[in-house]
Amino acid sequence: MEATGRNRRLRRLWGSVSGRTVLMPIDQPVTMGPITGLDAIDTQLTRLLAGAPNAIIGHRGVLRRVPAEAARATSVIMHLSAGTALSGRGHVKKLTGDVAEAVQLGADAVSVQVTFGVPEETDMLHDLAQVAAGCARWGMPLLAMVYVAGVDPAHAPEKIAHGARAVAELGSDIVKAPYTGCADSFATVVAGCFAPVVMAGGEPSDSWEDVLLDVKDALSAGAAGVCIGRKVQQHRAPDEALADLHALVHATNFG
């Protein structure tokens, strides 16, 4: 691999042995408000970072609060799009930052959400393409978060596959996609997307064991890792939850 700034940053996001990643979004309060697990952010962020996810994904305000000594083992991804549930349409995102600012912040990558199946879909695709162009100029990796409005991913894996491929076509280096309910259907999402696909966490779950089973199935389907937020943050012991994810995602004998 050519030793460019982009490739150096990309390497920081992956386990050096497994080649997979455990990402943790902490951007949810912009959309949902001060949710449990991220309400007392300074205390909780220190505890979450102690679990050493490969990277956290957040907006500028929170990323500026990350203590340098607490983030030695964790990369930073700056999220560049936002919308709030107060509007009644929190899934519609607009750009709130740019790649140059992410470089100044010391980020290892940037991320943008695209929600498919809404009238604003083309606006979000346009924003993604603009960010991708900025990433090319600055040597910055790009993560795209894919959602399809009003769709149960387990009932429409072909729509998830379509969204994942679309954002890869527009320049995304990593694609976050909802789990489609079983390994076979998720394998079609992975196979149809030439960028690495990481499994999204989604809504909090009453059963952590079920979450781990889904992660194991997603990995067996070819997922490059996970991008799980609330399921970890609202776990009774987030550091233990992260340890479980590390053990699965970075297992050297995973088959």
Side-chain angles (χ1 to χ4, degrees), residues 37-55:
L38 293 175
D39 45 349
I41 188 62
D42 290 330
T43 301
Q44 292 156 339
L45 188 56
T46 298
R47 185 178 184 188
L48 292 168
L49 287 170
N54 290 98

Side-chain angles (χ1 to χ4, degrees), residues 89 91-92 114-124 148-150:
R89 307 192 73 233
H91 55 279
V92 176
V114 176
T115 305
F116 292 87
V118 297
E120 298 85 357
E121 174 189 304
T122 52
D123 294 331
M124 286 181 272
V148 180

Side-chain angles (χ1 to χ4, degrees), residues 11 13-21 54 249-254:
R11 280 198 296 270
L13 304 179
W14 306 101
S16 59
V17 176
S18 70
R20 293 183 288 270
T21 191
N54 290 98
V249 171
H250 296 307
T252 56
N253 61 345
F254 186 83

Side-chain angles (χ1 to χ4, degrees), residues 30-198:
V30 170
T31 303
M32 303 173 149
I35 60 173
T36 300
L38 293 175
D39 45 349
I41 188 62
D42 290 330
T43 301
Q44 292 156 339
L45 188 56
T46 298
R47 185 178 184 188
L48 292 168
L49 287 170
N54 290 98
I56 56 172
I57 305 167
H59 293 282
R60 61 168 71 81
V62 167
L63 295 184
R64 288 172 181 159
R65 303 183 74 85
V66 175
E69 66 277 9
R72 295 183 187 279
T74 300
S75 293
V76 165
I77 299 173
M78 183 175 169
H79 198 44
L80 299 184
S81 61
T84 80
L86 296 173
S87 69
R89 307 192 73 233
H91 55 279
V92 176
K93 308 296 183 180
K94 296 288 286 185
L95 287 183
T96 56
D98 59 31
V99 181
E101 183 182 4
V103 172
Q104 293 169 340
L105 192 68
D108 295 298
V110 296
S111 63
V112 173
Q113 178 176 325
V114 176
T115 305
F116 292 87
V118 297
E120 298 85 357
E121 174 189 304
T122 52
D123 294 331
M124 286 181 272
L125 288 172
H126 177 267
D127 286 348
L128 177 70
Q130 293 296 108
V131 171
C135 286
R137 286 194 297 273
W138 286 97
M140 181 70 75
L142 172 59
L143 164 70
M145 302 182 180
V146 169
Y147 295 91
V148 180
V151 165
D152 181 345
H155 294 157
E158 71 285 352
K159 293 185 177 181
I160 305 301
H162 187 171
R165 179 57 178 263
V167 298
E169 293 273 352
L170 292 180
S172 301
D173 297 291
I174 307 171
V175 176
K176 171 186 174 182
Y179 185 57
T180 54
C182 71
D184 287 345
S185 63
F186 201 66
T188 66
V189 176
V190 173
C193 182
F194 51 81
V197 176
V198 294

Side-chain angles (χ1 to χ4, degrees), residues 192-214:
C193 182
F194 51 81
V197 176
V198 294
M199 171 191 152
E203 298 294 327
S205 173
D206 292 331
S207 171
W208 182 242
E209 290 72 21
D210 287 347
V211 174
L212 295 179
L213 285 173
D214 286 346

Side-chain angles (χ1 to χ4, degrees), residues 192-249:
C193 182
F194 51 81
V197 176
V198 294
M199 171 191 152
E203 298 294 327
S205 173
D206 292 331
S207 171
W208 182 242
E209 290 72 21
D210 287 347
V211 174
L212 295 179
L213 285 173
D214 286 346
V215 170
K216 185 175 182 179
D217 286 345
L219 293 171
S220 72
V226 297
C227 187
I228 296 180
R230 284 173 290 162
K231 284 182 168 70
V232 169
Q233 294 142 10
Q234 296 178 4
H235 188 279
R236 59 172 180 78
D239 45 352
E240 294 178 13
L242 280 166
D244 289 341
L245 292 177
H246 274 294
L248 268 179
V249 171

